Amino acid sequence: MGIGTWAWGNQLLWGYEESMDSELQECFNLALRNGINLFDTADSYGTGKLNGQSERLLGRFIREFEGPIKSPDDVVIATKFAAYPWRLSTGQFVGACKSSLERLQLGRLGIGQLHWSTANYAPLQERVLWDGLVEMYDKGLVRAVGVSNYGPKQLLKIHGYLASKGVPLNSAQVQFSLLSMGDEQMELKTVCDSLGIRVIAYSPLGLGMLTGKYASSNLPKGPRSVLFRQILPGLGSLLSCLRRIAEKKGKTMSQVAINWCICKGAIPIPGVKTVRHVQENLGALGWRLSPGEISELESAAMAAPKKMIKNVFQTA
């Protein structure tokens, strides 16, 4: 399991304030002390003047960590580089990587990831971005390269292209949870397994809908409430199934939902804002759902009338 840091600097969706930084540092420390060393971020994380804040915080937390970090490589920072329309050259994309390293104050990244594909709207830009990943890898700026929001067809194309340049594709990040387990996600997982690519599952808790903490009469603040209002009313059967299995296992609903991702062979990266979140997420490790429980959960999930909305940047 890893930790997602989308909320670290995002005021609009997650209500970030700089007063939260001390607790976020405690989150980082607790995760690392318990063997979680993968932290996912992006150069676009942080709203307005706080753009890049997630990376800056991670860099600071690594430097101030009071523990046995023998090498910066002991902490795997997986940064996603946005496919902004003005990044039209390989040099500009590599420059984005160097800017991330500067914010993190690191010599190299664990995984450099292309945040989304431009194949649907700017196919000529796509090859430039792929070449940028190749150059990052060849220059030693990243230990590994990955992609995000790629569907199975486009994944096969970039895997083949990178392989022709001698660069292995290590990871594919995709929205993956009991609310995002459609045919495309499962096909992507099959392709990844066949090619030796690890699937990193973002939003493993469906933005919080699978935690059991919300209801139609108790919605989160901000833009998430619009989505929750559409989907939550149809999740009665799935949430009841999660609750029943959680009670039987002595776990929470969140821990069961995260463990499902792990049992499917993905690396979930649930987001955290509090120490309590980290403590709860840690409870998803060290055990496994039975095949019967997995089947129960998936049947209940498939019966839900509405699922998570597909990311607009997701390709085929």
Side-chain angles (χ1 to χ4, degrees), residues 64-291:
E64 297 179 0
F65 179 70
E66 296 179 356
I69 296 181
K70 297 176 183 177
S71 159
D73 288 347
D74 288 348
V75 182
V76 180
I77 301 297
T79 285
K80 298 182 291 294
F81 309 112
Y84 291 135
W86 55 85
R87 289 178 174 167
L88 294 172
S89 71
T90 297
Q92 287 172 313
F93 204 53
V94 173
C97 178
K98 291 178 178 177
S99 294
S100 287
L101 288 170
E102 189 174 329
R103 283 188 291 272
L104 288 156
Q105 293 190 35
L106 292 175
R108 66 173 175 171
L109 292 166
I111 311 173
Q113 306 166 97
L114 174 53
H115 204 156
W116 65 83
S117 168
T118 65
N120 290 343
Y121 62 92
L124 295 179
Q125 186 186 8
E126 183 94 338
R127 185 61 60 88
V128 168
L129 302 176
W130 292 1
D131 285 335
L133 289 176
V134 171
E135 191 167 326
M136 290 174 203
Y137 184 82
D138 287 345
K139 287 180 177 293
L141 300 176
V142 299
R143 292 164 61 194
V145 300
V147 293
S148 179
N149 296 309
Y150 268 61
K153 293 183 178 65
Q154 201 64 13
L155 185 74
L156 284 167
K157 291 178 184 178
I158 187 172
H159 175 270
Y161 184 77
L162 293 179
S164 73
K165 302 291 184 179
V167 178
L169 181 61
N170 284 76
S171 63
Q173 190 173 146
V174 67
Q175 185 173 234
F176 190 70
S177 74
L178 283 163
L179 291 179
S180 304
M181 46 168 279
D183 291 343
E184 195 168 272
Q185 276 95 343
M186 302 317 290
E187 184 184 349
L188 178 77
K189 181 67 175 59
T190 299
V191 170
C192 285
D193 289 347
S194 70
L195 296 175
I197 299 169
R198 292 306 302 268
V199 172
I200 298 175
Y202 73 78
S203 295
L205 296 174
L207 297 180
M209 276 184 275
L210 297 176
T211 64
K213 298 171 186 173
Y214 300 102
S216 298
S217 58
N218 176 35
L219 297 171
K221 297 177 182 177
R224 278 191 300 161
S225 64
V226 178
L227 187 64
F228 277 49
R229 193 173 286 112
Q230 295 173 6
I231 299 175
L232 261 181
L235 297 185
S237 177
L238 175 57
L239 294 178
S240 293
C241 186
L242 275 168
R243 189 174 291 109
R244 185 171 65 254
I245 292 173
E247 289 172 354
K248 183 172 71 174
K249 294 282 192 185
K251 297 292 181 180
T252 67
M253 293 168 67
S254 296
Q255 289 165 351
V256 171
I258 292 170
N259 192 266
W260 175 85
C261 288
I262 294 170
C263 288
K264 300 303 284 188
I267 302 172
I269 48 169
V272 300
K273 291 194 297 181
T274 67
V275 168
R276 182 178 56 79
H277 288 157
V278 180
Q279 291 169 334
E280 184 169 10
N281 292 348
L282 287 169
L285 299 172
W287 59 280
R288 295 182 78 84
L289 292 161
S290 71

